[in-house]
Structures are given as structure tokens and as C-alpha cells.
């Protein structure tokens, strides 16, 4: 068939030769010759082949490349609608040539679906301004490529290299930073390559020449063309000579070149008779020379004398229409590459630099283990898990804040599997939930190499300096550095304390000012701003709205409206907002304030709580964004008016100020495990008067970051009857998430206690029964485990039972527990040894979890919100605790009536109950039944969004023992090393 | 003369030819030929010149270079004894060749005064371990150069490029990072160059050849030799051809080379007949080939066939003894360069990226101005002022902590000039000290381009949300971003709050436990640690020492010793330690705690102060290092025993735990001014019950950082009678520093008030007298200015008076003030407009200060510490305030007696006096005299190290107004932008 065509074409070729000759000139100029049909076009090609050098028509080749880019983008966008490669071009001044180039780039981008943004700085821009602009673009997640258009046309002294080098190498699509240049010049092809040389390589490839061992000559040594061209040719195994203005015998050197690339900005300098016959000649020059035959008075020529060169060369690029269009196409390609890298990184599994464990037996102290593990830089970890630099604010070397903007960037990504760690009813010593959370995440992340993030609570400083010590996990399953974790971290709890106490001061002072001022004076002062203007603040306008007052000019309110507006009428005996400190300070459990004469006798009794008991901590942990945070803060009830109406934080005008104080605290904190896998530490609300889970935001971010094949492991406070129930009924309701699997932590020790073993008391030696085999105790105690498994199944979630191995446990004891668990409906039950062996010890658990999340599940809440307050409480008590019923006194009934009247009856309930029994009585172990749960009080956390019924005395301020932990805490004055934290 | 020598030598040459021939072989091998005398040596040289290529004896040349390095180091060390260039070589595994090379480097370093440290990682080292090690070295200020010895001999998969690239480009003395390679390959010669090519360039230079336009051929393209060699030759204008394993016609290409550099690891591959006659041949190869004539059985040869090559070449390097020794010498040179760069950076004046101001009239609001200025990255600023990355911990993008280790690194540097900003007795509106501090530092730093750091206090959040607003300066003289400055900053005040309140809780709980337990039980619990061991903690051992008990085994104490040890016997009515909050909360001014039944009736009345009034804030601000901090914390008196003995924080066992909480807070915070000059923000102790100055450590660091020609501008709270007096008598006594100049801030408004103008009240409109010209009021009011000038001169410091211009001031008014100031002995007096114009407006002030610090001065304290407490107080009252005398009641006298008995009478005194008058009576304006100052009470800050006499009611807890600032504070839910801070 080809033969026939050839014969036909030969004929056409002869016939059409006049036409062909006529077109030759236009073709040489690189214009796309429009032939009447493709056969004629083909003929032309053949003709040219016989007569002289074949033209390397960059314009056409570039069009094909751009077409390919467009196809790729279109395909990706059909799957990921938000995928949009974005290039920003920064121009300084208004150079005319630059304007032309930039317009070409914008046009090319527009045609193929690449956003090209043009940032123009004035012609007096300083280096700082340029660098600031570029740095801002580096941190903008929507921008994939950044180029600085050269030259920089400014009257200021400016170092273009400094400016270029301030572009992130990952966005440097022009390949001009030192970092990318260094890679290329040393033969490492993973960085970005300057676009013109990259385009030239494409053209050379089109000729079919194999560069290996060929002689290549590059005329020019510029950063943009000559130098990288040389590097690329060497990397493709050519023997390369670099020539430049000082080179002698240029024609002679050129005459040896199989491939010649010219970029010297000298019009038509290279002559045809210099060339090696049949060589490939690439002309990167573009010069305008006078030409009176043109309307414009000039024409564009290259650095090569085209007419003479084409007689000798085998292939040659025309000017224009040769290299030029390739440069733009390659820039588009590089931008797409950058965007794909960004997208790809977001889908791939991570390549973490893991920290090897140096396992020792017997297992050393937690602090010893933690101190001997050197953490990696937190910015490295952040990059490893696909966070952009703009999304990470490092606070020193060990911890970083993650910006909520990441959620928007990766919102289309599917969530990973969501694993909740909970436990049977624990002994007062705890059975290792935190350790299991960290250990499982190490086993999944480091052992199984799956993307995995652990989401945990930030510990209060109270226990750190008091009785319990830190909460970073234990053994070879810890968060490091534990000092950072257990001390201030990034100041979130301090921010909660500050916001909480500012609100407390504001409530008291409002009450005080109302008590001591007339309506008129009060209104006058409330509405006079710092500039002595009469003006309602935004918060005051919201109050006017709530009061139904439409007037917005303070001077025009009626006296009655002024009174309504000014007087919150706080009942000082019903101020329910407490001050807090993040310290165990028992003397603040009850106190009287306002005793200074300056407060004119307005004393009142109140209490201080530990900071993590602040409703603000619960609000922070349940908020989904800044706007949600503000709403929740504003809704918090701080007191009741003398008329019994709730007074909110927004009534006090504190919503905005608290949000300002909490702005940074809303961002989760990134740390790492002993094995270098990521941990998000965020919020730590109390597990009784609040829900005791780490933040919704950390989970939302983590689930997107790990991606579809990944895992997020998080923990709920206390036993499953408390933490898990609240996790499902409260946290999941607000987050919209639901767990794929529950890991129920148990220990032989706790099972024995539930089986009737002697009391386990913190700080006292354990009874010997806990150190010797005792199968009947274990078997009896499994009643608690079985009930908690049943509880998890009530929510429709598969349960993996994890029995944490202690050195004194016997195989027979462990076997009974496994057996009973599976009989009770657990998906599976494994013995885990992550405490002693890190990821290695947690292998079985990780495998079990990986299987469990594949199981079918149908998550459901325990109760609908529409249920009455009493029914919700009864539902939890009977279904989860195993109670016969609840008992509601007339006083509590009237509280319920009040809450219902105030519209708070549609909130979920957050039971404040002892964690030491399934019942309300800490002495009842195992799985008690038949008991009736007394409801002593019900309080609202209207901001956080739940009611908390009190089922017994709940301590919101711990005390310090006679020898608190702080006694042994110190640091080395020389090295700063901390001792005694545990 | 030369001719004669030549003739003589010719003769000698013939006679000695046998000897010469005998030595030829040895010479060719690069050994230093030992000739009997120098004439013979000369003859030999001539001989060789006639016969064949001249030898490039790297060994000798390298020795000369090493000698030069040694001389440079010796000279520098005579001036800067701590100057010691340091190279660390990291080796992975135990490769024999590497061991040899490393030993050569160690030997070379030892000979010339370069420390060479050898870090050896095991042969199972992972990439993470190598990177961790290198990263740690990057941040070690004592290490100037870091090299990773290749190859990496480990069984683990490891990417050598990743490892190398983790070396900081500034320490990469091997020049192998992408960053340095990129610079070199693009002709930028500011980075480090690999040592072998750098050595080769030296050898080529020795030949005298001018490379420009010459043909150079490089055989090899490795990262270490070939590629950088090519780059260097191109940078020196040679025409360079790169050849490698794929090159065809190698002999032909080589034959054109004027300069040939060979680095291909092929023994003797390049033959003499390939060479261009007279060419320079550099042989980088070193290969061992079998040679049965050698004892070792092998000999070393290069990549060039030496024997044939020397016949043709003009210059040639021998192997060994050619390139090899140059490599080591260049490594030493690069290490010296790195050390010099480090040293040089520390001496030179900074090259700051300044932020241009966009001055507008009328001057917009502070927040408006601040928001429109984009700060530069704080890490950039840190680098600009000569801080090493290891000395800086960025907290996000706007603020950073500076490590105290910088003080040790630059301890030998001379201090800059120390400028103290103080003021006349102010109106309640303030006269602009902070604004002047920032404005002057902008004028010196940005205007005059002198190294300048402003050291200022961190503001409390109380005023930010209350009445006064923030404290970041004003107008075009501000610290930015002001939100960061006015909110949590890096959490220092929160840390003070936490430490303060933990101590308070500890005091109360100790009192409680002592009240409720028997001696035996108390002792038992105090000495039983978490592992149930009987053990004294370190703090308890210190208590035993204080009690004179020598026994260290708890079981062996006598019952009496146990009682003495266990019982602090705190008098609950003399617990003087208060809890604090960083909030204006008037209801806490007096309160009763311990009212919960759990405290068993142990209630007591106490008060809470604002956090900045905590003694811990004063301690932090006066500490010189961690050890000093611990001592001061331990010495703080928290209560008295029933026997009247002081009970200290160390008695409570809280010294170490507080130091742990304050460890980071001890590091000053770096921020920047509106114009991009550096600001250290650190500590903010109260200016009445404490000394009201920013930290000693910030000043110590700043004075070294700015260096001899630089300036540190700092501020003292309130007027000169308070802030300046305390600065000189307290802060300077503890820091060992003294100011070179005082800037006395005044305003026409304040002068008018002192001249008898109507009261100025915050929040009320100003009387018209303050807005219209009134020369007599100004003139009379200058009495206060003159007295304050006199006060400064009492300390022997030159005074520059700075009159801050207000728009309503007239020239005549300003002129009177200037006149009076100079008459009163001011060095000079200037009108300053930095508020409206930044550095431009502060030009006159900056020039005046630059002159003033050149004046002779003789700083002296006002009183010696040996004076009695009463005399010290009297001295301040009479000399500074202008009082006739002081009045001490019998009660106060007995307090003085008690303090003297407790050994606290040698402390300086810190007067707690109103700041609104020179006297103790706020209504007395101008320069009152004849008054008698009543001393109401004297309290110890034994930790901070001063006594504070109370001269009137001092409020340590501010209140909130009816419309506090928080009412108008909010943030945008979408952007997070903060509104309403002012």
C-alpha cells in the first residue's frame, strides 16, 4: 500500500514542484504550510528530504505535546474535578518582550486547561518584595509552578539569582534554582530542567539520532540554555564541547559536531560551511534584524545562517517556529508534572524514614527508651506524609501545627479506615489503651508499611506533675519526645485556660458593673468605643437581633430597649462558668471570690476546675472549622439571669475574643512515634463531664491524609461503656464519621479483678493473685469483656479484642480470654506485645485490624436525638451499663423541664459516671445487672453540644499527693536535659 | 648575575648528570628529591625542563598551602583565642581505603590547627541514622565543615545523594550538595567547590597558563571530579570538552587539548602519543597495579601513562604526589573558609533585607499600618543577623526562640552600645517610650544601616483585652505582626503562670498534708518514690544539707531528724505566694480558698495577681543562664513557718519542676520592626513591685550580636525615677552591663501637665490647653524634665532628650523644651517624628544617640549594697524623688529587722511607687520637694534578688472596664484575620 502511495506521490511531486518551491520559503520560516490535502503535504516532505536539511518544526511538535497535555488534564479532571495545574508567572516591571512571552504562556495555558496567573510587581520593586511574593507562592497549595520572568525591570538594586533561588525547587518549573541546576549538572534527573534545553532534547529525539558517543557542541554557557543543554547532552552520553565568546577556532570545533546547539544571541553567526554534513543543528537564537522588505522593517533570524546551513545540515530548526514553541510547551509540561507530583504524592503510600528500635530485655523505663531514640525533624515527617510546607508551622524541631487549609486541598480524597481503641472496665492502673493506640499505629505504619496516623489527646500538666505522670504511651510504643508531649506542647491547653478565664473575668465584671451602675450609665459605657464614638460592636448587634431590637443607632434606642440591651441581669448564685488552671490544685475546689473592698461586697462562692475540664476544651475538640468554633463558643451558657434565662458567652461579647485566643489551638499538632510514624496530638477533654476523645479535626485531617488504603487509630477515654459510647453517640454525630473497627483492650490483670480478685489500688503493691496463674478468676472476669464486646456490637462495629501481654500472664490465662471474646462475638482476639517490642510485637494485632476493617458493618447510633432527655439517659443506662432503670428525683425532673424549655433537649447526653464499674458504683466489678442508676443532676454544655447527667460525685479538680511527681523532676543546668518525667 | 649562575650550573649539570638520572625515577614518582644543596636542585630543574614535561609537584605545593593555612589560623587565634576551625568526617562502615584517607585528613588538620573529628557509624547504619547524624552536625555551632566519606559501607539500602544533600550547603566543604553543585555549574562561585577540582585549578595556575580560550578536555563526568572540573574550566573561560566511557575517537579529542584533566579510574589509559605537545596534563587517577619488583607486590599509577606522556606534555602531575595531596589541602582550605565565613559574618555589619514603609498622612491606625506591612520570614532575619540555624527555633513564620548557646559561641565579641529609653514623669496616656524604642532602632538599623536590636518587654494579655490595648509601639514604629506580639507569642507568660500556680498548689497541699498526717506517715510518704523505694530526691537532699543532717538513707534518720525534715510548719496566715492569671480579673483581688469539705476546714484568705506580677517573671528576666535560673527559683520565699523562718520554693521541692516548665521561656524571642530590623521580646515584669525591664539575657545576646559598632536599644518601665533607677541599680547590678546613653522621652503634653495644666484622664477628651500653644505651661513643666535629666546624670550617663512631636505642638513650645533640657545638662535634645515617619522621622534622634555614646562616661550605682535597707530607701527617695526624708513606722522597722535577720539586707531595693509623680503622691506634678515618703511595708523577692518597699497602694490585679477591648475583637472565620486589636 505504501508503495502505491509512493508512486502516486512521486507524480504529484513533479506536478506540484512549482507549488512546492513557492512554499519552501514559508516552510523555512517555520510557518505551517497549508497544503490543499495531506498527500501534497507528504510529497512536500519527501521533496525537502531530498534537497536539503529536514526541518525540525517545533511549532507542530509543540502543538502535539500541548494536545497530549490537554488530554491528560481532561482525563484526570473527569476523575478528580478539583485537579487544575496552576502556573504563576511573576514579572517585575513592564518589559515589552516579557509581556509578549507571558502572553504566549497565558494563551498556551488557557487552551489546554492550565491556569496561568500573572503577578506584576512595579518597576520600583525591591528584592525583598520579589522574594516575599515568591515565598508566598511557595506556600500556596493551589500553585504548582512558579516562574520569575527575567529580566527584572526595576530601578532597585536586585540580585536575580537570590530571587530565583527563593522559589521552592518543587515549584521551580523553569529549573533555574541552584538545587535543580545542581541535580541536572551532576546527572541526577529527578529535578526540573530548564524548558528550552528540554524542548531541544525533544527535537533531537525527533531526528531519531542516538546521542550515545556522538560529538555534540554547545555554543553558549548561559544558565537558561547553554549550561543545562550541555548537562542534558552529557547525561545522554554525548561527548560535549562547550564553546563561548572566548573560544578560538570555533568553525573547526563546530565542524566536528554531530549535534550542534547554538544559543549565543549573535544573528546568523554560524555559517553553513562550518557544519558537519548531515549534522543536527538546533538554533535557540532569536534576533531581529533590519529588513526593508518587511512591513515592520525587521525580521527574525536565529544565531545560525539558516540558508547556508540547511544545505549542509541533516536536520535544522527554523527561526521562528523551531525551538521557541517548544519552550512554552515544555513549561506547560513541567507545570503538569508539578501538579501530577502533587496529586501523585497525595495518592501514593508514604515512604517514611522509619526509626529503628533497639529492643532490650528487660524493657527499660519509658523515659530511658524515649531518650535513646532520636526523633526525625518534624518538617521532614510532614513532607513525608504529603503535607505542603504552607500547611505546616513547625514549633521548634519536634512539633508542628497543621493548618486546616489542608482539608480543603485534599477534600476529594477518600477516607482511610477509622479504628477506635477502647477497653474493658479498667483497674485504677489502666490497661494500656494509649500504649495500644501508639503500638498499633507503629505496627500498621512501620511494620505493615501502611499509611497510618495515630490521633491522641494532649495530656494535662496536672497529672504530669502530680500522681499519674505523662501519657505518651509506654515501653516501645510511645510518642517522642515525651518531654515535649507532656509539657506545654504548642500551648493549646494554655490557650484554653486563657480563653476560659478571660470569659470568667468578663462574667463577674459584667455582673459587677450592672450592680453598680444606672441603666443610662451602663448603656452609655457599653456603647462608647475607644475613639469615643457611639457604636454597637458586632457582638452587641447580635444581641440586639436576639432581643428583637431593630434599631442600630445607639442614640435612637428607647429607654426600655436600652435597659433590655444593657442588663443581662446575671443571678450571681447561678454563675455556672468556672475559672480553670492546668494544675492539680485541691484548694481551689471551692472558694469565695470578690472579697476585696474594691468589689463592694459582691462576693460569691465558686470553684476552679482543671483546664481540661473547661467546656472550651470540649468545644475545641468538637469544632469542624473556625466558624463552627465561633458558633459553639458563643452558645456556651455561663450563667442564668434572675429570670432563669441562660446567659451566653456571646451575650458577654466574648465570642470573638475567645476565638482569637484559640485560633492556633484549633490546628492539630503533629508529632511522631518511637518508630517515626505520624501522630496527631489534639485536645484532651475530660472523659466524664465531657466526651474524652481527641479532636474531630485531627481525625478528619488524618483520614484524608492516610487515604483510602490507610488507617487512623484513635482512642476514647475510660472503658467502652463511657469512652466508646460517647465517641459514637457524640463525636461521630458531630464529625459525620464512624469507626470501621473497635479494638477492645483487655488485660489478664483486669479480668482477674472483674472475676473477684482483691482490690487493685494505685501506689500499693499488687496482690499475688495477679502474679500467679488463676484460671477461674480470669474466666469469671470475662463477663465484663463480653458485655463490652456486646456494647460495641450495639453500634454495629466489628470488634478486635487485644489482650495486652504482661510478663506474669500464662498462656492458659490468655487462651481463656481469647476464647471467651470470640464466643461473645468478637471478630477475633489476639495477644499483643507492642509494649515490649513495638511494631514487631503488634504484628498480630495489625493483621487482625486489617482484616476486621474489611468486614461488613452497619454503624448506628444508640439513640435518636429526638428522644426525650430521660429516655436517652435510660437507653444508655439499660443498654450499655446493664441497669434495670434510672431514678430521677423531682429536683432533677425540674432541671430536665428547664433544659427542655430552653430548647436543649435535642442534644446528645454525655454521662458523667465512674469509670471503674459498668454501673454507677465503682465497687461493682464484672458485668453487674439489676441496679438502678440515680441521676443526681444534669448540666448543659450548650456550646460543645451535649448535656451531662451526673451519676455520682465527679471530681473536676484533682489533688496532689504528699510526694508529687514534681519532687523528682529537674533538668541539667548545662545541657538542659530533663529528668524525672515518667 | 643570572648568567653567571647559569654558566656555573651548566657545568655542574654535566658533572652531576649521573646523579640526576638516578634521581629521575624517584622524581617522577613524586617523591621530594633530596639534593645535597640547592644549586644542584636548581640544576636538576633545568635539566628536566630540557628533557621532558615539567612536574607539577602537588605534594610540595600542598605543603605550602597548608603552611599558609596554619599561619592564618595562628594569627587569628592570637586575636580570638576561641577561633578553631573544625571539620567533622562522617564515615559509614569500615572501608579500608576510607580509613586511609580519613587518617590523612586528620593528620593534615592536626598539623595546622584544624580540629578534625571522626564520627564512625556502624556497617548496619540506615539512611535515617546517617541523615540524623549529619543534621545534628549542621546545627552544631562548633562544627564548620562536614563531609560524608564515600562510599557508604553499610548493609542497609541507602541513598548517598540524599545523605550528602542533608549536609547544610554552608558546611558542605566537599561541595557535593545539589545547592553548591548548582551554583558552580551555573558559573556562580560563591559556594563550596569539590576539593580535587579546586586543587587541580591550583596546579594549572602553577603552570602559568592563561585558560581563556584554551582547549580543555576533561576525561570523566563524576560528581566529585569530572563534572565540577568541567564547570571550573568553563568558568575560567576555557573551551571544554567532556569525554567519558561512551566517547568515540578519544585520542583525537585529547590531541587538541591544551589542558587535559583525566579522572576515569583506568590505569595508564591515556598514552603519550595522544597528547598535544607542550600541553598541561593533570592526572587525577590513582590505581594500584601488580608489580613484582615491589615488596608490596603492587605500585600506584595514574590514568595517564606517565612515562610516555612526560615526553610530550609540557606539564604533568606525578602519581602519587600530584593531585592527591592537593585534595587534602583544599579540604583544609575549605574548612578554614567555612570557619572564616562564620567568624566574618559575626564581625561584619549586617545586610538586612529592609521592609520599605509606605508613609501616609494622616497617619492611619496602628492596626491598619501593621496589617499592610508583610513581615519577612523570621528564619531569614535570624540568618541575616548572624544566628546559626542551630541557635534558632522558629515558632511558625513570625517568631523564633533564640538558644542561649549563641552566647558561648560569640562570647569574645565586644559589646555594642547600650541605649536606655526612659521618660519624664508621664501622663496616664503615656508619652511614647515603646514607640521611641522601636522608632530609634528603626532609625539606627534601617536608616543609618548600623547593626541594631531593640530589646523590649512582652506585654501581658490583661491590657490587650482590657483597657490599654497592645504594646507593640505605634504609627510607623511598631513590632510586627502585632497580633503575634500581643497574644500568646511563644507561650512564655503562660509558662510563668504554670510554674507560679504549680508552686502555689504545692505550698497549700504541703501545708494541708502536714496538718493532717503524723510525723511518721508524712516522712514515710515524702521519702517513698514511685517505684516504692525509700529514697531522698535531690531537692530533699538539699534540704537535709540546709538542716545540717548528714545521713542520706531515709531509714537511718532519727525520729527528730525525720520531724525536722518533714515539717516545714508553714504558717497558713503567712503564705505570701499568690496564684496568678494573665487576665485582668478584679474578683480575684481577695478571695478565700480551701472551702471544699475535702480540705477539712483549712480555708485561708489569699489573692491572685496578674501573671506579670509573679516573682517568677522577675526571676526569669534577671537570670543569666539555666543554672542561675534554678538558683533564683529555689531561693524564692513562699511562706514563713510558724517560727517565722522563711520557707523557700526549694524547701517545697519545686525548684527543678519550675525550671523544667520555664526552660524554653528562658530563651529570648526574635521578632521584627515595621522596617525589618530585629527585635528581641523577652519577659515583662511589673514596673512597681518588680523592676519593669526586659530580660538580662536578651540584652547580653543582643549586645554581642550587634558587635562593637552596633546598638542595642532597650526600655525601662514608667518614668526615669522608677524604671531607669531600677535599670541601673538592679538590672545592671545583675547583668554586669551599664548603659552608654539614656534617651529621655518627653512630650509637650506631659510638660504642660507638669506646668499646671488640667488633669489628663484616660478615656476622657483632652482639655484644650493641650491643643493650643501655651509657652508658660511648657516652661514651668520643664522642672520635671530637668529633674529627670539630673537623675540620669547621677548615674554618670549622658542624656539625649527626645521630644516626641505631636501634631498640635508648636515650634516655640518644642524650642523651650529643647532649651531647658540642654541647660539642665542634657548632651543634646532633639524633636523626633518616628511615629509618623519611621526611620526617616527618627534620623535626628539616631544621629544624636550615635554622638552621645561616644562621650566619656563613668557609670556608678546610686548606693552600695552594703548600706542598710533604710539608708538605701532614703538614698533613692531623697536623691531621685527629691524627698526631704522617709518615714518608717515601728511595724515597718520590725519588718526591716526581720529581713536583716534573715540575711536579706544586702539586696538592692525596688521601690513600689506611683509612676504619676516624682513623689509618692500621684497628684504632685512637676518636681515637688520637701515631702516625706512614708514606707508602708517592705516585701522580699528573695529569688529575683531585691526587696520591694511599698510607698502607697499598689494594685497587682487590674480590672476590666464596662466595655473592655475584647468586645471589639474578632476574627474572620474564612481567612482567620484578626480585627479589633489595637
Amino acid at each position: 500500500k505504501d508503495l502505491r502511495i509512493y508512486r502516486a506521490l512521486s507524480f504529484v511531486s513533479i506536478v506540484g514542484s512549482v507549488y512546492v518551491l513557492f512554499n519552501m520559503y514559508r516552510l523555512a520560516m517555520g510557518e505551517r504550510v497549508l497544503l490543499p490535502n495531506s498527500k501534497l503535504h507528504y510529497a512536500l516532505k519527501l521533496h525537502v528530504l531530498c534537497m536539503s536539511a529536514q526541518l525540525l518544526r517545533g511549532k507542530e511538535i509543540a502543538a502535539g505535546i500541548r494536545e497530549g497535555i490537554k488530554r491528560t488534564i481532561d482525563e484526570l479532571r473527569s476523575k478528580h474535578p478539583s485537579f487544575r495545574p496552576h502556573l504563576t508567572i511573576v514579572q517585575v516591571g513592564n518589559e515589552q518582550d516579557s509581556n509578549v512571552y507571558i502572553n504566549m504562556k497565558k494563551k498556551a495555558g488557557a487552551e489546554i486547561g492550565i491556569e496561568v496567573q500573572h503577578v506584576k510587581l512595579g518597576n520600583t520593586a525591591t528584592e525583598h518584595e520579589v522574594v516575599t511574593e515568591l515565598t508566598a507562592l511557595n506556600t500556596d497549595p493551589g500553585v504548582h509552578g512558579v516562574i520569575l520572568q527575567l529580566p527584572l525591570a526595576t530601578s532597585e538594586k536586585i540580585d536575580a539569582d537570590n530571587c530565583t533561588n527563593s522559589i521552592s525547587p518543587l515549584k521551580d518549573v523553569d529549573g533555574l534554582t541552584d538545587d535543580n541546576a545542581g541535580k541536572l549538572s551532576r546527572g541526577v534527573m529527578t529535578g526540573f530542567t530548564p524548558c528550552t534545553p528540554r524542548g531541544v532534547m525533544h527535537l533531537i529525539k525527533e531526528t531519531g539520532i542516538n546521542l550515545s558517543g556522538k560529538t555534540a557542541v554547545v555554543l553558549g554557557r548561559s544558565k537558561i540554555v547553554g549550561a543545562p543543554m550541555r548537562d542534558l547532552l552529557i547525561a545522554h552520553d554525548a561527548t560535549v564541547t562547550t564553546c563561548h565568546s572566548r573560544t578560538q577556532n570555533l568553525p573547526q570545533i563546530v565542524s566536528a559536531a554531530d549535534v550542534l546547539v547554538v544559543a549565543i544571541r549573535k544573528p546568523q553567526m554560524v555559517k553553513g560551511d562550518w557544519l558537519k554534513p548531515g549534522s543536527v543543528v538546533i538554533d535557540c537564537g532569536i534576533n531581529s534584524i533590519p529588513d526593508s522588505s518587511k512591513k515592520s522593517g525587521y525580521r527574525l533570524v536565529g544565531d545560525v545562517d539558516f540558508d547556508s546551513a540547511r544545505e549542509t545540515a541533516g536536520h535544522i530548526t527554523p527561526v521562528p517556529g523551531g525551538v521557541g514553541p517548544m519552550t512554552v510547551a515544555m513549561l506547560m509540561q513541567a507545570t503538569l508534572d508539578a501538579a501530577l507530583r502533587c496529586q501523585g504524592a497525595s495518592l501514593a503510600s508514604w515512604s517514611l524514614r522509619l526509626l529503628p528500635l533497639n529492643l532490650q530485655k528487660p524493657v527499660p523505663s519509658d523515659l530511658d527508651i524515649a531518650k535513646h531514640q532520636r526523633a526525625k525533624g518534624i518538617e521532614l515527617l510532614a513532607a513525608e506524609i504529603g503535607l505542603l510546607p504552607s500547611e505546616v508551622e513547625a514549633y521548634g524541631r519536634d512539633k508542628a501545627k497543621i493548618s486546616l487549609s489542608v482539608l480543603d486541598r485534599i477534600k476529594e480524597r477518600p477516607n482511610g479506615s477509622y479504628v477506635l481503641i477502647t477497653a474493658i472496665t479498667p483497674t485504677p492502673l489502666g490497661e494500656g489503651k494509649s500504649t495500644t493506640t501508639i503500638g498499633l499505629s507503629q505496627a500498621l505504619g512501620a511494620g505493615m508499611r501502611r499509611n497510618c496516623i495515630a490521633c491522641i489527646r494532649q495530656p494535662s500538666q496536672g497529672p504530669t506533675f502530680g500522681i499519674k505522670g505523662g501519657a505518651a504511651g509506654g515501653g516501645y510504643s510511645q510518642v517522642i519526645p515525651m518531654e515535649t508531649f507532656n509539657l506545654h506542647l504548642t500551648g493549646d491547653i494554655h490557650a484554653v485556660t486563657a480563653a476560659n478565664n478571660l470569659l470568667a473575668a468578663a462574667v463577674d465584671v459584667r455582673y459587677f458593673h450592672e450592680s453598680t451602675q444606672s441603666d443610662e450609665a451602663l448603656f452609655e459605657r457599653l456603647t462608647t468605643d475607644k475613639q469615643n464614638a457611639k457604636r454597637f460592636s458586632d457582638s452587641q448587634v447580635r444581641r440586639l437581633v436576639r432581643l428583637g431590637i431593630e434599631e442600630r443607632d445607639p442614640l435612637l434606642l428607647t429607654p426600655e430597649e436600652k435597659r433590655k440591651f444593657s442588663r443581662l441581669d446575671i443571678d450571681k448564685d447561678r454563675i455556672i462558668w468556672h475559672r480553670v488552671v492546668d494544675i492539680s490544685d485541691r484548694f481551689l475546689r471551692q472558694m469565695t471570690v470578690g472579697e476585696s473592698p474594691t468589689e463592694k461586697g459582691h462576693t460569691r462562692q465558686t470553684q476552679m476546675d482543671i483546664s481540661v475540664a473547661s467546656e472550651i476544651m470540649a468545644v475545641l475538640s468538637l469544632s469542624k472549622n473556625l466558624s463552627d468554633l465561633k458558633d459553639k463558643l458563643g452558645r456556651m451558657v455561663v450563667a442564668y439571669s434572675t429570670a432563669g434565662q441562660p446567659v451566653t458567652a456571646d451575650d458577654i461579647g466574648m465570642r470573638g475574643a475567645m476565638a482569637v485566643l484559640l485560633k492556633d489551638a484549633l490546628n492539630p499538632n503533629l508529632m511522631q512515634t518511637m518508630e517515626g510514624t505520624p501522630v496527631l496530638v489534639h485536645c484532651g477533654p475530660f472523659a466524664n463531664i465531657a466526651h474524652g476523645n481527641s479532636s474531630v479535626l485531627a481525625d478528619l485531617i488524618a483520614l484524608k491524609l492516610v487515604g483510602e488504603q490507610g488507617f487512623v487509630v484513635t482512642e476514647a477515654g475510660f472503658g467502652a461503656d463511657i469512652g466508646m459510647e460517647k465517641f459514637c453517640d457524640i463525636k461521630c454525630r458531630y464529625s459525620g464519621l464512624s469507626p470501621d473497627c473497635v479494638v477492645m483492650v483487655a488485660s489478664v490483670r483486669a479480668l482477674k479483678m472483674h472475676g473477684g480478685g482483691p482490690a487493685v489500688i494505685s501506689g500499693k503493691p499488687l496482690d499475688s493473685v495477679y502474679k500467679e496463674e488463676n484460671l477461674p478468676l480470669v474466666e469469671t472476669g470475662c463477663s465484663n469483656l463480653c458485655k463490652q464486646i456486646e456494647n460495641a456490637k450495639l453500634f454495629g462495629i466489628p470488634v478486635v479484642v487485644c489482650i495486652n501481654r504482661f510478663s506474669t500472664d500464662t498462656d492458659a490465662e490468655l487462651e481463656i480470654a481469647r476464647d471467651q471474646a470470640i464466643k461473645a462475638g468478637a471478630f477475633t482476639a489476639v495477644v499483643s506485645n507492642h509494649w515490649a517490642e513495638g511494631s514487631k510485637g503488634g504484628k498480630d494485632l495489625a493483621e487482625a485490624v486489617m482484616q476486621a476493617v474489611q468486614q461488613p458493618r452497619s454503624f448506628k447510633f444508640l439513640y435518636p436525638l429526638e428522644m426525650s432527655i430521660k429516655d436517652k439517659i435510660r437507653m444508655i443506662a439499660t443498654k450499655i451499663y446493664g441497669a434495670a432503670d434510672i431514678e430521677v428525683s423531682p429536683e432533677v425532673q425540674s432541671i430536665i423541664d428547664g433544659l427542655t424549655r430552653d430548647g436543649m433537649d435535642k442534644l446528645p447526653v454525655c454521662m458523667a459516671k465512674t469509670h471503674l464499674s459498668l454501673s454507677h458504683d465503682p465497687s461493682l466489678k464484672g458485668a453487674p445487672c439489676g441496679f438502678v442508676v440515680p441521676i443526681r443532676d444534669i448540666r448543659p454544655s450548650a456550646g460543645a453540644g451535649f448535656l451531662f447527667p451526673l451519676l455520682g460525685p465527679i471530681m473536676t479538680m484533682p489533688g496532689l499527693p504528699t510526694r508529687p511527681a514534681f519532687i523528682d523532676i529537674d533538668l541539667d543546668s548545662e545541657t538542659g536535659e530533663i529528668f524525672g518525667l515518667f
Side-chain angles (χ1 to χ4, degrees), chain A residues 527-556:
Chain A
T527 54
T528 306
D529 75 7
K530 283 170 302 221
Q531 283 76 39
N532 273 310
K534 303 293 294 173
R535 183 177 66 77
F536 288 120
S537 71
D538 288 353
S539 58
Q540 291 173 337
V541 169
R542 288 194 296 274
R543 178 160 168 81
L544 293 174
V545 171
R546 285 194 291 273
L547 294 173
I549 299 172
E550 280 173 22
E551 183 54 57
R552 294 294 175 264
D553 182 345
L555 300 172
L556 301 181

Side-chain angles (χ1 to χ4, degrees), chain A residues 219 250 264 266-271 274 302-305:
Chain A
L219 270 51
L250 194 53
I264 46 177
K266 306 258 179 202
Q268 299 173 311
M269 176 171 164
V270 175
K271 307 299 176 194
W274 297 11
D303 295 343
V304 176
D305 181 47

Side-chain angles (χ1 to χ4, degrees), chain A residues 567-585:
Chain A
R567 297 230 167 257
L568 302 178
D569 262 336
I570 292 168
D571 178 350
K572 85 165 177 176
D573 296 325
R574 292 193 71 196
I575 296 179
I576 59 173
W577 194 257
H578 304 156
R579 289 170 180 81
V580 298
V581 280
D582 189 30
I583 281 160
S584 301
D585 190 350

Side-chain angles (χ1 to χ4, degrees), chain A residues 727-745:
Chain A
F727 183 92
C728 295
D729 279 324
I730 300 175
K731 184 175 176 184
C732 287
R733 232 183 270 259
Y734 286 111
S735 69
L737 302 168
S738 62
D740 297 292
C741 162
V742 156
V743 173
M744 183 74 64
V745 174

